[in-house]
Amino acid sequence: MTSTHEVFNQVPPLVGHNTAADPVLREGVEREGAAWALPELDELGRLAGSAEAQEWGRLAERVPPRLHTHDRYGHRVDEVEYVPAYHQLMQTAVEHGLHAAPWADERPGAHVARAAKFYTWNVDAGHGCPISMTYAVVPALRANPDLAKRFEPLLTNREYDFGLRDPETKRGLIAGMSMTEKQGGSDVRANTTTATPQTDGTYVLRGHKWFTSAPMSDLFLTLAQTEAGVSCFLVPRVLPGGERNAMRFMRLKDKLGNRSNASSEIEYDAATGWLVGEEGRGVRTIVEMVNMTRLDCVIGSSAGMRTALTMAAHHASHRSAFGKLLIDQPAMRNVLADLQVESEAATTAMLRLAGANDRAIRGDEGEAALRRIALAVTKYYVCKRAPFMVNEALECLGGNGYIEDFDVARIYREMPLLSIWEGSGNVAALDALRALAKEPHTLDAFLAEAELAAGADARYDAALDRLKKEFTSFDDLELRARRIVEQLALVFQGSQLLRHAPAAVADAFCSSRLGRDWGGAFGTLSPRGDLDAILERALPA
């Protein structure tokens, strides 16, 4: 009997490559002052491209965490159980310093190196959430020097020490944040959780939080109302001495995106917390954490875009149709080149922001002003673009892209989160305009950066002129918010590509995104562009 199950024309697994070999990443890391990190980046990239690490990501996603509110005897425990693969992912991330390690590293470029590693370690998005929050908690925690002195060395230490114990007895700590409530969402001033001061300097918290990711973390920044208004608190899972704090898990969220990370609803049932910053200034205090996680939203979106593109290019390089490889088909070449332009624009902008972040942390006020506005607009735009781009990359795999066994489906599920996290579209756009209104020097810093590319391309110059005209009138500013922020983001991306990308990439970006010689879908680049030169940068190494 003739077999009907002979397998041919299927694409081999994408394993054994170095995810850090992306030329856009390497060029940006060197440009932003972190070339010293390339050897460790390569080590992490080879691990991320290995079959072993990819299996960790697959298992962590396929076997989601389980909530245990009580043990078998009926005692309240409020624990989440993860598969071993999740802990292997966390351990790798912490050992390579993707968490808070840069805050203890005095080398210029340390935060750039961390951004590049976060981008490179792309095998699972879920565990990146607690890693990101641990990175972001440090600048906010410094509003209480005593707490920072106690916990910062453990937050920055490169040891992953999972388990519910007194945090000061552990080798390393993971942090989270718990801000939003069901009645308020992004309007955190509508929070109803209360915090009552005690004679020992602590506060007792009572209330319900609608989203608390990674609930097995050791420490949480949270918001609660005092007599002075919304205030910021550090809440430990386990109190000094070993007693568990009164944080009750109500349920785990059934999310659209990653399944490897637990997101929960919790209640503070007279939980103990320590004040961080001034009473009544909690939003300003926790914004220090939010700004860092917004940067990670850009990094995560850029990484997902690049990973999906790599999968699409790998598939097209091995799959045949109509007598030749997909990658040799003109229509597919246009699609992949267009995806490369989108990915390169996002990654190049992300690395410029990582450099600005590094220099702002070290006291550069000009870079801090640029970061303030460029991060807000890039977070809005790149996180909006990511789902569209990953959808197109998924389509390059045809029906296989729609199947969970092929990892691009997992990336696609995750992409909408990053536009929602730390302020969805309108929140991000209005925040950018608020920054321009309250801190006019941020627009000056942005335009100074944009002017560095002026004269290099007529289409860019015209886009920059159109952008400037948006600020000649402040009527209907909120109504025009998304329009203005999108233009800011495109000009920022264009300025970076014109200065740093190959001519073929910069020309395609300016022609399509700025000059509007482009269709309504990916794969509509002008045939006059050098698609071959662009595609060379898309293939996995």
Side-chain angles (χ1 to χ4, degrees):
M1 180 177 178
T2 303
S3 172
T4 61
H5 293 286
E6 180 183 355
V7 178
F8 60 95
N9 197 27
Q10 288 289 337
V11 176
L14 177 56
V15 294
H17 62 297
N18 178 1
T19 63
D22 174 8
V24 186
L25 177 69
R26 302 182 77 84
E27 292 161 10
V29 166
E30 292 186 8
R31 188 168 58 245
E32 298 298 338
W36 51 265
L38 287 173
E40 186 181 2
L41 200 59
D42 281 328
E43 176 189 347
L44 185 62
R46 285 189 290 270
L47 179 58
S50 70
E52 179 185 33
Q54 292 183 30
E55 181 68 1
W56 294 343
R58 187 189 72 83
L59 287 173
E61 184 71 3
R62 286 299 179 92
V63 188
R66 295 181 59 193
L67 171 61
H68 301 285
T69 57
H70 297 77
D71 67 14
R72 58 182 173 172
Y73 303 108
H75 302 120
R76 187 93 198 200
V77 293
D78 295 294
E79 293 185 6
V80 176
E81 179 185 8
Y82 300 88
V83 292
Y86 176 87
H87 297 299
Q88 289 171 311
L89 293 166
M90 288 290 293
Q91 180 174 331
T92 301
V94 170
E95 287 178 348
H96 283 84
L98 276 66
H99 64 320
W103 300 103
D105 191 339
E106 296 182 356
R107 289 175 293 183
H111 293 267
V112 176
R114 183 261 171 190
K117 287 185 283 189
F118 197 75
Y119 176 97
T120 295
W121 183 237
N122 57 8
V123 294
D124 168 71
H127 81 287
C129 180
I131 293 297
S132 176
M133 293 189 294
T134 305
Y135 171 67
V137 76
V138 170
L141 190 60
R142 288 176 176 176
N144 185 322
D146 290 339
L147 291 177
K149 182 178 179 180
R150 289 170 62 185
F151 296 117
E152 189 172 324
L154 294 168
L155 290 163
T156 59
N157 197 28
R158 292 193 182 200
E159 287 197 59
Y160 176 61
D161 188 2
F162 182 79
L164 297 182
R165 304 191 303 279
D166 181 341
E168 291 179 273
T169 68
K170 301 183 73 174
R171 301 185 304 276
L173 301 178
I174 298 296
M177 63 177 170
S178 187
M179 294 195 298
T180 62
E181 298 181 4
K182 51 188 147 187
Q183 78 286 347
S186 295
D187 183 8
V188 294
R189 295 189 185 278
N191 284 0
T192 59
T193 296
T194 61
T196 305
Q198 305 298 296
T199 57
D200 62 358
T202 66
Y203 286 72
V204 169
L205 277 67
R206 290 182 172 85
H208 188 115
K209 295 297 180 180
W210 192 233
F211 280 103
T212 300
S213 284
M216 290 296 285
S217 299
D218 300 294
L219 305 168
F220 294 87
L221 279 187
T222 194
L223 295 176
Q225 298 277 2
T226 68
E227 290 185 358
V230 177
S231 304
C232 182
F233 297 90
L234 185 70
V235 178
R237 273 300 317 269
V238 178
L239 298 169
E243 180 185 355
R244 296 191 181 187
N245 209 353
M247 294 174 61
R248 307 305 183 203
F249 298 174
M250 310 310 293
R251 61 173 174 169
L252 299 186
K253 298 289 193 178
D254 187 7
K255 305 189 301 287
L256 165 68
N258 76 77
R259 299 174 183 131
S260 57
N261 177 48
S263 295
S264 64
E265 290 177 40
I266 67 168
E267 281 191 354
Y268 296 128
D269 184 14
T272 297
W274 299 296
L275 181 67
V276 180
E278 298 178 47
E279 273 198 35
R281 306 295 292 273
V283 174
R284 172 171 289 189
T285 300
I286 212 164
V287 157
E288 294 294 330
M289 185 176 191
V290 169
N291 282 334
M292 295 298 107
T293 48
R294 281 183 176 174
L295 176 59
D296 278 6
C297 288
V298 177
I299 300 170
S301 293
S302 301
M305 294 161 80
R306 174 65 192 186
T307 305
L309 168 60
T310 300
M311 292 174 177
H314 173 76
H315 179 89
S317 298
H318 292 86
R319 178 83 167 177
S320 296
F322 308 110
K324 55 185 176 181
L325 291 172
L326 289 177
I327 201 165
D328 294 327
Q329 305 278 4
M332 180 61 79
R333 293 182 70 78
N334 198 317
V335 169
L336 293 173
D338 210 351
L339 295 178
Q340 172 62 28
V341 171
E342 191 76 26
S343 172
E344 186 151 350
T347 301
T348 304
M350 175 273 288
L351 288 163
R352 177 65 183 94
L353 289 171
N357 184 52
D358 190 88
R359 290 182 281 276
I361 288 167
R362 299 175 197 284
D364 189 321
E365 294 183 0
E367 290 289 271
L370 177 65
R371 179 187 64 176
R372 175 67 181 93
I373 183 62
L375 175 56
V377 302
T378 303
K379 193 275 180 190
Y380 168 83
Y381 187 72
V382 168
C383 296
K384 283 284 185 196
R385 295 295 298 167
F388 293 102
M389 183 191 149
V390 174
N391 173 68
E392 192 70 54
L394 182 153
E395 192 173 322
C396 291
L397 276 69
N400 283 349
Y402 197 66
I403 304 302
E404 289 283 348
D405 290 341
F406 295 81
D407 290 338
V408 68
R410 187 199 325 170
I411 299 171
Y412 180 61
R413 282 193 284 105
E414 181 68 7
M415 285 299 98
L417 166 68
L418 297 168
S419 187
I420 296 170
W421 194 23
E422 304 305 13
S424 52
N426 286 345
V427 173
L430 292 172
D431 179 62
L433 296 187
R434 191 176 301 112
L436 295 174
K438 290 187 174 181
E439 306 168 74
H441 66 287
T442 61
L443 181 58
D444 295 336
F446 182 93
L447 293 177
E449 179 79 9
E451 290 289 351
L452 295 175
D457 187 283
R459 296 158 299 192
Y460 174 80
D461 292 344
L464 182 55
D465 287 341
R466 289 194 300 271
L467 174 64
K468 291 176 181 177
K469 290 177 182 176
E470 292 285 358
F471 299 104
T472 58
S473 170
F474 290 93
D475 295 335
D476 300 324
L477 198 60
E478 288 195 13
L479 192 62
R480 294 184 288 130
R482 288 189 176 215
R483 175 187 176 92
I484 295 172
V485 169
E486 180 175 310
Q487 290 183 66
L488 284 161
L490 286 169
V491 165
F492 184 66
Q493 289 185 338
S495 71
Q496 302 308 310
L497 292 178
L498 283 168
R499 293 169 59 204
H500 306 304
V505 175
D507 177 71
F509 182 89
C510 290
S511 174
S512 57
R513 278 70 171 172
L514 300 180
R516 299 303 180 185
D517 184 7
W518 201 28
F522 287 102
T524 54
L525 291 177
S526 169
R528 296 184 296 274
D530 189 351
L531 302 190
D532 292 343
I534 297 171
L535 276 174
E536 287 180 6
R537 297 167 72 79
L539 297 172

